[in-house]
């Protein structure tokens, strides 16, 4: 739920205006005297603290929204778990070349879906220190992530942990690759595994692995697909997920959640004020009982306004939303 990060600002701690044009300082009945002292005297420290508060609130907001959605619809977080690439019986090392090689995946994507690249397996015949792998968005020609890892002789599991936002009208077109002139991996076949069945090329769940191979020697500067093989994923066995994304659903209607988000932030500010020792000097004007009362008030307001945010909301008809049969509306005759 990263879309809420910096949606509401805290004066003296943010650069520029927040996206909502609203500051937490504007909340009615909030005493900002102690917070202003903290912000002014330890601004650098409190900027980091404000980031931590927002990070915690993002996790809480995610659970709050998901719990209310699940009372009406079923929204699977992971729609499909896919694996592309297959290790053949015999180990044959790829030939060195001055190219970026790897596995390119493209396909279709529904609204509210994202691609999550989780990890890949590879087999190395040598120890490689600081091996670099890259993930590109070929639609935009952008380097999305660099993964640096040490390879041992044998099989290596490398984590990517990259969730890619929905590109709207642009189909997913991503390339996981490495510089084949720096090190070489054993060959893998261009196949996919889905529900324990191994297939050669083609499409699965809207994605295709029929285009794999080398990337142009322009390296990072001019990324263009240069497909030289449709039977080799260049040593990479990639795991990816198709995910339903709350961010994609909430982003267009984020203003409905402004007050709920503000009160959730206030509740975590109270927790930080109460539990963080370095701020005790500024919070002695309140007793623990008073702070507990303020926290209870803010968290109750958060839950109230989060419920209001979903009132009369029409949920979309989409593959990410299906009726929750555990909750059915019934009508009694008069």
């Amino acid at each position: 739920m990263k879309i809420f990060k910096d949606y509401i600002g805290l004066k003296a701690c943010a650069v520029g205006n927040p996206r909502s044009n609203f500051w937490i300082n504007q909340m009615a009945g909030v005493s900002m005297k102690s917070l202003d002292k903290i912000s002014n005297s330890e601004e650098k420290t409190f900027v980091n603290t404000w980031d931590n508060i927002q990070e915690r609130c993002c996790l809480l907001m995610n659970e709050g929204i998901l719990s209310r959605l699940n009372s009406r619809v079923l929204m699977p977080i992971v729609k499909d778990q896919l694996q592309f690439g297959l290790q053949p019986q015999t180990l044959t090392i790829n030939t060195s070349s001055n190219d970026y090689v790897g596995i390119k995946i493209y396909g279709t994507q529904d609204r509210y879906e994202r691609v999550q690249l989780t990890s890949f397996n590879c087999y190395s015949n040598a120890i490689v220190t600081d091996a670099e792998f890259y993930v590109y968005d070929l639609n935009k020609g952008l380097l999305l992530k660099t993964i640096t890892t040490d390879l041992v002789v044998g099989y290596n599991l490398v984590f990517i942990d990259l969730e890619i936002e929905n590109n709207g009208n642009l189909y997913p077109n991503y390339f996981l690759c490495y510089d084949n002139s720096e090190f070489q991996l054993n060959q893998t076949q261009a196949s996919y595994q889905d529900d324990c069945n191994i297939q050669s090329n083609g499409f699965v769940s809207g994605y295709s692995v029929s285009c794999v191979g080398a990337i142009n020697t322009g390296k990072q500067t001019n990324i263009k697909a240069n497909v030289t093989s449709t039977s080799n994923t260049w040593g990479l066995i990639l795991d990816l997920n198709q995910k339903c994304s709350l961010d994609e659903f909430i982003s267009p209607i984020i203003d409905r959640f402004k007050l709920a988000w503000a009160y959730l932030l206030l509740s975590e500010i109270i927790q930080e004020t109460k539990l963080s020792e370095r701020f005790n000097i500024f919070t002695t004007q309140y007793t623990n009982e008073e702070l507990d009362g303020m926290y209870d008030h803010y968290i109750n307001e958060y839950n109230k306004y989060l419920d209001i945010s979903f009132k009369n909301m029409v949920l979309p008809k989409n593959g990410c939303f299906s009726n929750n049969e555990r909750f059915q509306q019934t009508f009694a005759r008069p």
Side-chain angles (χ1 to χ4, degrees):
M1 198 56 64
K2 296 294 185 182
I3 57 172
F4 284 100
K5 185 74 179 292
D6 296 324
Y7 175 65
I8 289 177
L10 176 65
K11 286 187 176 180
C13 282
V15 178
N17 291 327
R19 303 198 315 275
S20 62
N21 292 317
F22 189 80
W23 305 90
I24 200 69
N25 312 58
Q26 296 174 251
M27 293 294 289
V30 177
S31 173
M32 296 303 298
K33 184 177 180 180
S34 60
L35 292 176
D36 287 338
K37 288 182 179 179
I38 294 169
S39 302
N40 294 332
S41 63
E42 298 185 12
E43 183 175 350
K44 291 183 179 179
T45 301
F46 197 68
V47 168
N48 295 332
T49 303
W50 176 241
D51 284 341
N52 291 334
I53 288 172
Q54 291 189 87
E55 291 288 345
R56 294 200 302 270
C57 286
C58 284
L59 296 175
L60 294 170
M61 194 70 165
N62 184 83
E63 294 304 312
I65 289 176
L66 190 60
S67 66
R68 284 158 176 80
L69 277 176
N70 282 341
S71 67
R72 298 171 56 185
V73 297
L74 294 177
M75 184 178 183
I77 297 301
V78 177
K79 288 187 64 179
D80 288 294
Q81 294 177 308
L82 310 172
Q83 184 180 89
F84 295 101
L86 177 68
Q87 182 70 60
Q89 294 291 331
T90 58
L91 297 177
T92 304
I93 196 168
N94 284 309
T95 304
S96 176
S97 66
N98 189 30
D99 277 320
Y100 274 30
V101 297
I103 178 169
K104 182 179 118 174
I105 297 178
Y106 67 95
T108 59
Q109 189 174 55
D110 290 336
R111 188 74 177 93
Y112 310 121
E113 283 186 7
R114 287 183 175 184
V115 173
Q116 182 189 39
L117 304 182
T118 57
S119 61
F120 64 88
N121 271 286
C122 61
Y123 191 101
S124 175
N125 280 328
I127 296 175
V128 183
T129 303
D130 293 334
E132 289 189 338
F133 297 87
Y134 312 97
V135 180
Y136 285 97
D137 184 335
L138 296 182
N139 286 326
K140 300 179 179 179
L142 294 178
L143 175 63
L144 299 179
K145 188 169 185 177
T146 300
I147 304 103
T148 303
T149 187
D150 295 332
L151 301 179
V152 301
V153 176
Y155 285 103
N156 295 265
L157 174 63
V158 182
F159 291 98
I160 307 173
D161 295 327
L162 176 63
E163 188 170 310
I164 308 171
E165 295 182 3
N166 195 306
N167 279 336
N169 294 328
L170 296 176
Y171 289 150
N173 190 11
Y174 309 118
F175 199 86
L176 171 65
C177 57
Y178 61 95
D179 189 338
N180 192 227
S181 65
E182 296 291 333
F183 59 91
Q184 291 77 50
L185 301 175
N186 280 289
Q187 292 180 8
T188 45
Q189 297 173 356
S191 303
Y192 65 81
Q193 183 168 327
D194 182 32
D195 295 332
C196 300
N197 296 316
I198 297 175
Q199 306 290 337
S200 296
N201 297 322
F203 288 83
V204 54
S205 298
Y207 286 84
S208 172
V209 291
S210 60
C211 281
V212 295
I215 205 164
N216 209 359
T217 53
K219 307 280 178 158
Q220 290 100 323
T221 55
N222 184 22
I223 305 302
K224 294 182 180 179
N226 178 21
V227 178
T228 60
S229 171
T230 58
S231 61
N232 185 359
T233 57
W234 295 92
L236 303 178
I237 301 175
L238 173 65
D239 290 302
L240 67 89
N241 295 328
Q242 288 176 283
K243 293 189 64 176
C244 293
S245 170
L246 284 179
D247 282 3
E248 301 292 348
F249 170 63
I250 296 297
S251 181
I253 55 173
I254 192 171
D255 284 345
R256 294 181 66 131
F257 300 88
K258 184 184 295 185
L259 281 175
W261 177 244
Y263 278 112
L264 183 59
L265 289 171
L266 288 174
S267 69
E268 282 300 305
I269 288 174
I270 295 300
Q271 289 288 75
E272 188 71 34
T273 303
K274 180 180 176 181
L275 301 177
S276 185
E277 291 183 359
R278 69 172 177 268
F279 297 138
N280 283 348
I281 186 174
F282 298 106
T283 59
T284 52
Q285 58 182 306
Y286 298 114
T287 65
N288 282 339
E289 290 75 14
E290 288 173 326
L291 290 173
D292 288 339
M294 293 168 67
Y295 174 81
D296 290 341
H297 170 70
Y298 292 144
I299 206 70
N300 288 335
E301 291 296 292
Y302 153 70
N303 281 301
K304 180 181 78 174
Y305 282 106
L306 190 57
D307 289 336
I308 291 174
S309 300
F310 280 94
K311 190 175 181 179
N312 299 324
M313 181 184 292
V314 178
L315 297 177
K317 296 180 179 180
N318 182 274
C320 281
F321 298 87
S322 59
N323 290 332
N324 191 341
E325 296 179 356
R326 295 175 301 171
F327 298 93
Q328 295 182 355
Q329 189 174 11
T330 58
F331 298 91
R333 288 186 176 183

